[in-house]
Amino acid sequence: MLVECYDEKGAEVYEMIIKQIFQDLVLGPSVEDLKAYVDPREPVFILAIKMKKTSGAKNLEDVAKVTYKKEDDVTDIFVENENYLPNILKKLWFMYSREDIYQPTRFNIELPGDQSELASMVVDDPHSNLQRRIYDAIFRILPEGFKIIKDMSEKSIVAIIATDELIKDDWVEKMEVYLSELNNS
């Protein structure tokens, strides 16, 4: 972790804030590296966080059996891994009305018609989930009033420039240096 600031005490304070928020959100084990630049005189806050690799996304067919029963014109979903049941229901409720979803047992879900294409529906994406949690941490870390934000995230790096003024080219260049360093680490 590197926190750059013209004021050594200010850098220490921001490092402590970042560590505390990461601890509160249990993000420490999920982060490979972090680079931050803070300068209240300009004012600017630059933060780049490299995430550790996550497991791949899970499709419905990975955690459930999807079967179309032609005689009843019903698609039956048998959930084999209960851990994904809340995600599956949440996605189905978003796609269909709750009245169209029948759940006769804890692990069985029935939908009207042929819904076989649902087998490829993503029910869990650890990379996106981690990325969302890191954005949450960033918005807790950002100084109050820094409403102008440039997102320069790429692949496994979440990168934000924040200020309350126009974003300067030298800040973007500093972020590009951070991105290059994190990509090569």
Side-chain angles (χ1 to χ4, degrees):
M1 176 188 297
L2 169 71
V3 178
E4 292 183 84
C5 183
Y6 73 92
D7 176 18
E8 200 173 299
K9 291 286 185 200
E12 288 175 13
V13 168
Y14 253 102
E15 186 173 333
M16 191 174 65
I17 290 169
I18 291 168
K19 284 180 179 178
Q20 184 62 50
I21 290 172
F22 273 40
Q23 182 179 345
D24 292 349
L25 298 176
V26 194
L27 281 172
S30 305
V31 171
E32 194 170 311
D33 201 359
L34 177 146
K35 293 189 180 291
Y37 174 76
V38 185
D39 192 342
R41 299 172 302 182
E42 290 198 280
V44 64
F45 189 88
I46 299 172
L47 186 60
I49 301 170
K50 184 173 185 178
M51 303 184 305
K52 287 188 178 174
K53 291 195 184 293
T54 59
S55 56
K58 292 280 186 188
N59 294 338
L60 183 59
E61 63 193 352
D62 297 330
V63 297
K65 286 185 182 167
V66 180
T67 312
Y68 174 61
K69 297 178 181 174
K70 192 173 185 175
E71 63 280 357
D72 298 328
D73 192 32
V74 169
T75 299
D76 182 59
I77 300 171
F78 178 74
V79 180
E80 296 173 323
N81 188 333
E82 184 179 5
N83 294 330
Y84 296 97
L85 185 59
N87 288 1
I88 293 168
L89 287 171
K90 183 178 175 182
K91 290 204 177 246
L92 291 175
W93 289 334
F94 182 77
M95 296 168 64
Y96 305 94
S97 70
R98 287 188 183 224
E99 294 80 37
D100 288 338
I101 300 169
Y102 176 59
Q103 191 176 4
T105 68
R106 182 177 180 94
F107 300 105
N108 283 85
I109 302 168
E110 293 180 358
L111 299 168
D114 184 0
Q115 310 296 335
S116 303
E117 75 280 354
L118 289 176
S120 62
M121 175 179 73
V122 175
V123 293
D124 187 40
D125 185 354
H127 179 80
S128 292
N129 295 344
L130 176 57
Q131 196 173 38
R132 195 173 314 115
R133 290 177 52 225
I134 287 177
Y135 276 111
D136 179 32
I138 287 172
F139 288 111
R140 292 175 191 218
I141 294 167
L142 287 179
E144 191 79 24
F146 281 33
K147 301 294 182 204
I148 298 173
I149 296 172
K150 181 172 180 75
D151 188 344
M152 295 181 64
S153 300
E154 55 182 47
K155 299 177 188 165
S156 64
I157 300 172
V158 179
I160 299 284
I161 300 172
T163 183
D164 65 356
E165 299 179 353
L166 293 176
I167 293 176
K168 297 179 183 176
D169 291 337
D170 57 326
W171 299 342
V172 173
E173 289 169 11
K174 181 140 192 91
M175 178 60 85
E176 288 169 349
V177 169
Y178 280 176
L179 290 170
S180 176
E181 290 172 355
L182 290 174
N183 276 319
N184 295 323
S185 66

